[in-house]
Amino acid sequence: MEFLEKIVGTINDYLSGYILVFLLVGVGLYYSIKTRFVQVRCLGEGFKRVFKKSDKGEKKGLSSFQALATAVAAQVGTGNIVGACGAILIGGPGAIFWMWIIAFLGMATNYGEAVLAQKTKIIDEAGEVHGGPVYYIKKAFTGKFGKALAGFFAVAITIALGFIGAMVQSNSITSNIAGVFESFGTDISSFTWIIGILLALLTGVIVIGGVKRIASVTEKLVPVMAILYIVGGLLVLCVNIKNIPGAFGMIFKYAFVPNAIIGGGIGSALVKAIQKGAQRGLFSNEAGMGSTPHAHAQADVKDPHEQGVVAMVGVFIDTFIVLTLTALIVLCTLYAPDGPFAGIVGSADASFSAQAGELSFTDGNMVQRAFQMTFTTIFGGNSAVGNAVGSIFVAVCLFFFAFSTIISWNFFGKINFNYLFGKKATIAYSAIAIVCVFLGSIGSNGLVWGLSDMFNNLMVIPNVIALFAIGSMVFEKFDKKKEIVAEGSLDTEK
């Protein structure tokens, strides 16, 4: 197991650290330039369309809001907490700046994915919508090569999201619930199977109901989980308001001189900051991964552009709101002048990762410690109450984040499993996925997490290749020189 884990880790280092960074940054730049930076000109239109009702009564799919909620449920997950902390832990606060850059480019990529998903989707005899990368990959490459590439993507995403991904997310839920009980001195490690059964049953009730039930759950769950985390995060920032300017200052300063906080030479430190910011950013907002197009294909819209601009809103919410809030929470508390890492900020030979290890900080508990410190302050220095409230709050947020990701990823995986084996295979897929939710709750290891990352990485390759090959279908509106009117609409021709 250790040998396999090391091999998988090496593969992931090369894929996510080098190959995928260049591929996804490249496709983001390509779509940004060819669409004349649609993420700037049409973001306002995207927010307007999120809440616009379908003119066609939503008979053949979901509303734009339901599709966005399903996509955001997948995008906003534990990665927004652990991912941001991991980027800071290894790449320094400056890694957040590079995550913003990646998200900015990723908005154009996500626009293209949604437009292509809309243009290539099919509606079967029963009125069900089928769409996603497998369909535009086959459109981009006809013949055996296209089928092979689409099949490779379908296998990778089914394993990455539908099966192993479910295990990873349910393990995160169980671990955090167990952590809350441990903060009260109670060990429930022998009873995690009960949590697993409850999670499996809850997942089964939702996903077996089909896309309409999934959308119905996500459109209610996503706003609740977002508001809960944002309100809690703003409370932390209010308590530590004097540290906010310094937090932003660190993000911008250490984006270009990261060696002052993560050690090493300026060249190697800058590469690490950019690489870690790109790596974590790409898999936080999922732009270019090929996951969210499955949700956007379900939207019932007149013009693919309409869902394309809505898709950009998902990346914006994921990175510029939720992930940025996480970063500020950590920097305003742990990095504050009176925080545990105050002594290493600005030190030429600093190594935040090493210092964090010595103080038992990991990317998984940094936000929890930040909330614990804040609630301890609120409760007049009572660390026992503050730690308990902080642990419970973070555990509840992580439950919402992880569970919403499970049900959205399950839907994405099912679409591809059905593509591979036919609609009759739905029952088999659901049974395997639900078992995986249970298995993840009762135990996990580094190999499972590594395999999840590896298949996440692998599914990007065929998706990005297709995005480059079939981009002309996205750029048609822009190539025809249709001008953008004040509201950002593409309906008026010169």
XYZ file of all heavy atoms in Angstrom, residues 201-276:
549
model
N -27.889 6.196 3.561
C -29.340 6.234 3.394
C -29.799 7.596 2.874
O -30.631 7.680 1.961
C -30.025 5.928 4.730
C -29.938 4.480 5.229
C -30.536 4.368 6.628
C -30.650 3.534 4.266
N -29.247 8.651 3.451
C -29.621 10.006 3.036
C -29.220 10.249 1.582
O -29.989 10.822 0.797
C -28.948 11.028 3.952
C -29.344 12.501 3.764
C -30.844 12.683 3.941
C -28.581 13.382 4.755
N -28.025 9.797 1.218
C -27.566 9.933 -0.163
C -28.479 9.159 -1.108
O -28.877 9.663 -2.165
C -26.121 9.412 -0.308
O -25.264 10.160 0.554
C -25.633 9.560 -1.739
N -28.822 7.918 -0.730
C -29.667 7.078 -1.573
C -31.027 7.690 -1.825
O -31.529 7.692 -2.963
N -31.661 8.225 -0.797
C -32.979 8.838 -0.936
C -32.960 9.978 -1.947
O -33.892 10.152 -2.741
C -33.474 9.361 0.432
C -34.704 10.246 0.262
C -33.795 8.194 1.344
N -31.860 10.744 -1.944
C -31.768 11.906 -2.838
C -31.399 11.504 -4.263
O -32.080 11.876 -5.224
C -30.751 12.924 -2.292
C -31.252 13.485 -0.959
C -30.531 14.063 -3.294
C -30.244 14.355 -0.246
N -30.324 10.730 -4.429
C -29.811 10.470 -5.772
C -30.690 9.511 -6.563
O -30.774 9.611 -7.800
C -28.364 9.945 -5.724
C -27.461 10.933 -5.018
C -28.285 8.583 -5.048
N -31.362 8.592 -5.904
C -32.231 7.660 -6.636
C -33.448 8.400 -7.187
O -34.067 7.962 -8.162
C -32.654 6.490 -5.719
C -31.431 5.610 -5.411
C -33.742 5.639 -6.361
C -31.693 4.487 -4.435
N -33.777 9.560 -6.608
C -34.903 10.350 -7.097
C -34.652 11.038 -8.417
O -35.569 11.632 -8.988
N -33.415 10.997 -8.919
C -33.117 11.582 -10.224
C -32.715 13.038 -10.156
O -32.626 13.649 -9.084
N -32.481 13.626 -11.339
C -31.923 14.969 -11.436
C -32.855 16.023 -10.843
O -32.401 16.996 -10.247
C -31.587 15.309 -12.909
C -32.833 15.288 -13.791
C -30.903 16.668 -13.010
N -34.165 15.843 -10.984
C -35.098 16.826 -10.441
C -34.996 16.900 -8.917
O -35.031 17.981 -8.327
C -36.527 16.464 -10.852
C -36.845 16.709 -12.325
C -36.940 18.187 -12.636
C -37.414 18.424 -14.063
N -37.529 19.865 -14.387
N -34.878 15.735 -8.267
C -34.767 15.732 -6.811
C -33.426 16.296 -6.375
O -33.341 17.032 -5.383
C -34.951 14.313 -6.266
C -34.971 14.270 -4.741
C -35.248 12.877 -4.213
N -36.582 12.415 -4.609
C -37.046 11.196 -4.347
N -36.274 10.314 -3.707
N -38.250 10.849 -4.734
N -32.364 15.937 -7.090
C -31.040 16.470 -6.772
C -31.053 17.994 -6.874
O -30.563 18.705 -5.999
C -29.967 15.875 -7.705
C -29.775 14.392 -7.406
C -28.645 16.632 -7.559
C -28.871 13.682 -8.396
N -31.647 18.500 -7.972
C -31.717 19.954 -8.166
C -32.565 20.609 -7.082
O -32.236 21.698 -6.597
C -32.292 20.265 -9.547
N -33.647 19.940 -6.695
C -34.519 20.481 -5.654
C -33.779 20.603 -4.325
O -33.966 21.576 -3.582
C -35.752 19.582 -5.494
O -36.581 20.042 -4.453
N -32.920 19.617 -4.035
C -32.144 19.647 -2.791
C -31.051 20.706 -2.854
O -30.880 21.501 -1.921
C -31.536 18.260 -2.496
C -30.555 18.343 -1.316
C -32.635 17.251 -2.189
N -30.305 20.732 -3.962
C -29.178 21.661 -4.052
C -29.620 23.117 -4.085
O -28.943 23.989 -3.540
C -28.309 21.371 -5.291
O -29.123 21.410 -6.471
C -27.646 20.013 -5.183
N -30.771 23.408 -4.721
C -31.203 24.806 -4.784
C -31.597 25.331 -3.402
O -31.630 26.541 -3.180
C -32.368 24.968 -5.764
C -33.683 24.415 -5.310
C -34.810 24.725 -6.289
O -34.677 25.703 -7.047
O -35.814 23.994 -6.290
N -31.903 24.430 -2.476
C -32.204 24.833 -1.091
C -30.965 24.746 -0.207
O -30.741 25.591 0.665
C -33.304 23.934 -0.519
C -34.632 24.024 -1.262
C -35.622 23.048 -0.689
C -36.962 23.107 -1.424
N -36.854 22.634 -2.815
N -30.149 23.710 -0.432
C -28.990 23.468 0.422
C -27.867 24.467 0.178
O -27.255 24.970 1.131
C -28.482 22.040 0.187
C -27.296 21.564 1.033
C -27.660 21.583 2.506
C -26.876 20.157 0.606
N -27.586 24.781 -1.085
C -26.449 25.646 -1.415
C -26.592 27.044 -0.806
O -25.644 27.549 -0.187
C -26.239 25.709 -2.942
C -25.283 26.842 -3.313
C -25.706 24.380 -3.462
N -27.737 27.727 -0.954
C -27.846 29.056 -0.321
C -27.682 28.994 1.196
O -27.048 29.875 1.791
C -29.259 29.505 -0.702
C -29.581 28.765 -1.946
C -28.935 27.419 -1.768
N -28.247 27.956 1.830
C -28.142 27.832 3.286
C -26.688 27.665 3.711
O -26.207 28.341 4.627
C -28.987 26.650 3.801
C -28.694 26.379 5.283
C -30.467 26.925 3.612
N -25.951 26.741 3.044
C -24.574 26.483 3.459
C -23.685 27.689 3.167
O -22.768 27.996 3.937
C -24.022 25.229 2.766
C -23.666 25.374 1.304
S -23.010 23.826 0.616
C -22.332 24.409 -0.964
N -23.959 28.385 2.061
C -23.149 29.554 1.723
C -23.375 30.673 2.736
O -22.415 31.277 3.234
C -23.484 30.034 0.314
N -24.644 30.951 3.051
C -24.968 32.016 4.003
C -24.407 31.698 5.381
O -23.839 32.562 6.058
C -26.493 32.230 4.064
C -26.988 32.818 2.742
C -26.862 33.143 5.233
C -28.494 32.885 2.624
N -24.543 30.434 5.819
C -24.035 30.036 7.132
C -22.535 30.289 7.236
O -22.061 30.901 8.205
C -24.328 28.554 7.367
C -23.779 27.940 8.668
C -24.473 28.566 9.869
C -23.963 26.432 8.669
N -21.777 29.842 6.234
C -20.325 29.990 6.291
C -19.915 31.455 6.153
O -18.994 31.915 6.842
C -19.681 29.158 5.184
C -18.172 29.126 5.267
C -17.528 28.492 6.330
C -17.379 29.738 4.295
C -16.151 28.468 6.420
C -15.994 29.711 4.375
C -15.382 29.077 5.435
O -14.018 29.055 5.525
N -20.602 32.183 5.281
C -20.256 33.595 5.071
C -20.531 34.409 6.339
O -19.714 35.243 6.746
C -21.035 34.172 3.871
C -20.486 33.567 2.559
C -20.920 35.691 3.831
C -21.306 33.901 1.339
N -21.680 34.161 6.976
C -21.999 34.887 8.211
C -20.967 34.570 9.297
O -20.473 35.476 9.987
C -23.419 34.529 8.705
C -23.653 35.071 10.112
C -24.461 35.089 7.739
N -20.621 33.284 9.448
C -19.605 32.912 10.435
C -18.258 33.529 10.113
O -17.546 34.022 11.013
N -17.891 33.512 8.831
C -16.616 34.099 8.420
C -16.568 35.599 8.654
O -15.543 36.144 9.106
N -17.679 36.295 8.355
C -17.731 37.741 8.580
C -17.637 38.069 10.068
O -17.079 39.101 10.450
C -19.014 38.321 7.987
C -19.098 38.317 6.451
C -20.452 38.847 5.987
C -17.967 39.153 5.843
N -18.176 37.182 10.901
C -18.056 37.375 12.349
C -16.590 37.331 12.772
O -16.128 38.169 13.567
C -18.847 36.296 13.084
C -18.773 36.310 14.619
C -19.351 37.616 15.162
C -19.519 35.111 15.202
N -15.849 36.360 12.218
C -14.410 36.272 12.513
C -13.699 37.541 12.063
O -12.859 38.102 12.798
C -13.786 35.045 11.813
C -12.263 35.040 11.992
C -14.382 33.756 12.355
N -14.041 38.029 10.873
C -13.375 39.226 10.345
C -13.744 40.462 11.162
O -12.904 41.357 11.355
C -13.748 39.427 8.877
C -13.308 38.313 7.908
C -13.582 38.718 6.473
C -11.822 37.984 8.085
N -14.991 40.526 11.636
C -15.394 41.674 12.464
C -14.612 41.706 13.775
O -14.170 42.767 14.228
C -16.888 41.607 12.744
S -17.927 42.018 11.324
N -14.450 40.530 14.393
C -13.703 40.453 15.647
C -12.238 40.824 15.419
O -11.583 41.415 16.294
C -13.813 39.037 16.253
C -12.890 38.876 17.456
C -15.255 38.740 16.650
N -11.732 40.487 14.235
C -10.319 40.745 13.920
C -10.181 41.817 12.840
O -9.263 41.769 12.017
C -9.657 39.449 13.445
C -9.689 38.352 14.478
O -8.876 38.310 15.391
N -10.655 37.433 14.347
N -11.086 42.790 12.840
C -11.156 43.774 11.761
C -9.861 44.558 11.579
O -9.494 44.942 10.473
C -12.348 44.738 11.990
C -12.607 45.557 10.720
C -12.125 45.614 13.213
C -13.933 46.307 10.760
N -9.149 44.780 12.672
C -7.900 45.549 12.576
C -6.818 44.811 11.793
O -5.836 45.431 11.335
C -7.387 45.893 13.973
C -6.951 44.703 14.808
C -6.474 45.133 16.174
C -5.939 43.961 16.996
N -6.984 42.941 17.256
N -6.988 43.501 11.633
C -5.977 42.706 10.926
C -6.266 42.526 9.443
O -5.443 41.957 8.718
C -5.870 41.316 11.577
C -5.431 41.379 13.022
O -4.651 42.258 13.411
N -5.935 40.470 13.844
N -7.434 42.990 8.972
C -7.813 42.783 7.567
C -6.853 43.470 6.598
O -6.407 42.848 5.624
C -9.265 43.228 7.325
C -10.228 42.315 8.081
C -9.592 43.210 5.826
C -11.695 42.703 7.939
N -6.499 44.763 6.812
C -5.542 45.396 5.876
C -4.221 44.621 5.795
O -3.661 44.452 4.707
C -5.332 46.794 6.475
C -6.583 47.057 7.248
C -6.970 45.734 7.832
N -3.754 44.141 6.925
C -2.511 43.371 6.936
C -2.641 42.060 6.197
O -1.694 41.606 5.544
N -3.823 41.440 6.279
C -4.059 40.175 5.577
C -3.974 40.379 4.068
O -3.297 39.615 3.356
C -5.425 39.605 5.960
N -4.644 41.410 3.567
C -4.559 41.706 2.130
C -3.132 42.086 1.734
O -2.651 41.717 0.659
C -5.522 42.841 1.758
C -6.930 42.385 1.511
C -7.929 42.644 2.438
C -7.260 41.687 0.356
C -9.231 42.228 2.218
C -8.560 41.256 0.118
C -9.553 41.528 1.050
N -2.476 42.809 2.623
C -1.096 43.192 2.345
C -0.193 41.988 2.187
O 0.671 41.956 1.291
N -0.379 40.966 3.035
C 0.430 39.759 2.934
C 0.163 39.009 1.630
O 1.082 38.476 1.008
C 0.153 38.839 4.128
C 0.849 39.265 5.404
S 0.683 38.021 6.717
C -0.994 38.301 7.241
N -1.115 38.963 1.216
C -1.459 38.256 -0.029
C -0.721 38.866 -1.205
O -0.114 38.152 -2.019
C -2.985 38.293 -0.267
C -3.702 37.427 0.765
C -3.313 37.805 -1.681
C -5.216 37.520 0.695
N -0.743 40.203 -1.305
C -0.106 40.856 -2.447
C 1.424 40.878 -2.309
O 2.142 40.666 -3.298
C -0.647 42.283 -2.601
C -2.054 42.340 -3.113
C -3.116 42.587 -2.265
C -2.319 42.125 -4.459
C -4.423 42.619 -2.733
C -3.617 42.162 -4.946
C -4.674 42.408 -4.083
N 1.910 41.101 -1.108
C 3.368 41.156 -0.917
C 4.021 39.812 -1.215
O 4.980 39.721 -1.987
C 3.696 41.580 0.511
C 5.192 41.550 0.822
C 5.485 41.937 2.265
C 6.970 41.856 2.563
N 7.259 42.233 3.972
N 3.487 38.756 -0.601
C 4.128 37.455 -0.723
C 3.767 36.714 -2.005
O 4.236 35.608 -2.237
C 3.809 36.608 0.513
C 4.376 37.210 1.776
C 3.547 37.593 2.827
C 5.748 37.425 1.907
C 4.071 38.165 3.978
C 6.274 38.004 3.051
C 5.437 38.365 4.080
O 5.970 38.944 5.216
N 2.931 37.349 -2.842
C 2.696 36.790 -4.180
C 3.952 36.932 -5.037
O 4.199 36.137 -5.945
C 1.526 37.496 -4.854
N 4.781 37.963 -4.719
C 5.958 38.249 -5.546
C 7.275 38.074 -4.785
O 8.324 37.986 -5.397
C 5.849 39.667 -6.110
C 4.604 39.869 -6.946
C 3.479 40.469 -6.412
C 4.561 39.414 -8.256
C 2.328 40.629 -7.172
C 3.415 39.572 -9.028
C 2.297 40.176 -8.484
N 7.205 38.037 -3.453
C 8.417 37.747 -2.672
C 8.097 36.640 -1.659
O 8.239 36.839 -0.446
C 8.966 39.004 -1.964
C 9.645 39.922 -2.950
C 7.851 39.743 -1.203
N 7.660 35.483 -2.140
C 7.230 34.411 -1.218
C 8.363 33.811 -0.414
O 8.121 33.187 0.620
C 6.626 33.373 -2.166
C 7.330 33.603 -3.465
C 7.534 35.084 -3.539
N 9.618 33.984 -0.864
C 10.733 33.391 -0.126
C 10.858 33.973 1.274
O 11.443 33.369 2.168
C 12.045 33.592 -0.888
C 12.386 35.069 -1.071
O 11.538 35.857 -1.471
N 13.623 35.424 -0.784
N 10.266 35.164 1.493
C 10.340 35.788 2.810
C 9.488 35.058 3.841
O 9.623 35.305 5.031
C 9.886 37.250 2.721
N 8.615 34.163 3.373
C 7.752 33.472 4.323
C 7.774 31.957 4.170
O 7.453 31.232 5.092
C 6.303 34.000 4.205
C 5.513 33.667 5.476
C 5.603 33.429 2.975
C 4.253 34.464 5.618
N 8.181 31.441 3.011
C 8.261 29.988 2.872
C 9.708 29.516 2.716
O 9.959 28.327 2.578
C 7.418 29.480 1.673
C 7.933 30.039 0.353
C 5.967 29.805 1.863
C 7.189 29.478 -0.868
N 10.636 30.459 2.746
C 12.048 30.085 2.702
C 12.540 29.805 1.293
O 11.788 29.829 0.324
N 13.844 29.534 1.152
C 14.440 29.235 -0.144
C 14.772 30.489 -0.921
O 14.596 31.614 -0.447
N 15.264 30.297 -2.160
C 15.582 31.418 -3.023
C 14.321 32.012 -3.622
O 13.279 31.365 -3.679
N 14.416 33.244 -4.115
C 13.253 33.931 -4.660
C 12.683 33.184 -5.860
O 11.464 33.094 -6.031
C 13.606 35.389 -5.048
C 12.362 36.116 -5.610
C 14.739 35.423 -6.058
C 11.244 36.272 -4.660
N 13.548 32.627 -6.696
C 13.071 31.918 -7.893
C 12.267 30.677 -7.554
O 11.135 30.502 -8.013
N 12.854 29.809 -6.729
C 12.165 28.559 -6.380
C 10.917 28.822 -5.554
O 9.901 28.137 -5.699
C 13.113 27.636 -5.604
O 13.547 28.240 -4.396
N 10.982 29.837 -4.676
C 9.819 30.159 -3.845
C 8.670 30.693 -4.693
O 7.495 30.363 -4.465
C 10.200 31.188 -2.786
N 8.993 31.517 -5.704
C 7.954 32.070 -6.571
C 7.284 30.965 -7.384
O 6.059 30.949 -7.544
C 8.553 33.127 -7.507
C 7.555 33.913 -8.372
C 6.534 34.619 -7.498
C 8.297 34.913 -9.260
N 8.096 30.037 -7.874
C 7.544 28.899 -8.617
C 6.605 28.095 -7.724
O 5.514 27.688 -8.147
C 8.679 27.998 -9.155
C 8.101 26.676 -9.677
C 9.442 28.705 -10.258
N 7.014 27.878 -6.478
C 6.196 27.099 -5.550
C 4.879 27.816 -5.254
O 3.812 27.193 -5.204
C 6.960 26.858 -4.247
C 6.194 25.986 -3.250
C 6.953 25.823 -1.946
C 8.200 24.978 -2.116
N 8.862 24.711 -0.799
N 4.943 29.139 -5.050
C 3.735 29.914 -4.743
C 2.757 29.874 -5.911
O 1.554 29.646 -5.727
C 4.099 31.355 -4.406
N 3.274 30.101 -7.118
C 2.409 30.080 -8.306
C 1.858 28.685 -8.542
O 0.671 28.494 -8.812
C 3.187 30.567 -9.550
C 3.591 32.031 -9.376
C 2.347 30.399 -10.810
C 4.479 32.557 -10.478
N 2.730 27.696 -8.439
C 2.329 26.310 -8.688
C 1.265 25.860 -7.699
O 0.253 25.270 -8.077
C 3.564 25.407 -8.590
C 3.323 23.960 -8.988
C 4.583 23.134 -8.807
O 4.929 22.729 -7.706
N 5.287 22.897 -9.900
N 1.491 26.155 -6.416
C 0.523 25.714 -5.411
C -0.789 26.489 -5.529
O -1.873 25.905 -5.385
C 1.115 25.894 -4.002
C 0.277 25.277 -2.900
C -0.045 23.821 -3.158
C 1.185 22.944 -3.307
N 0.802 21.522 -3.497
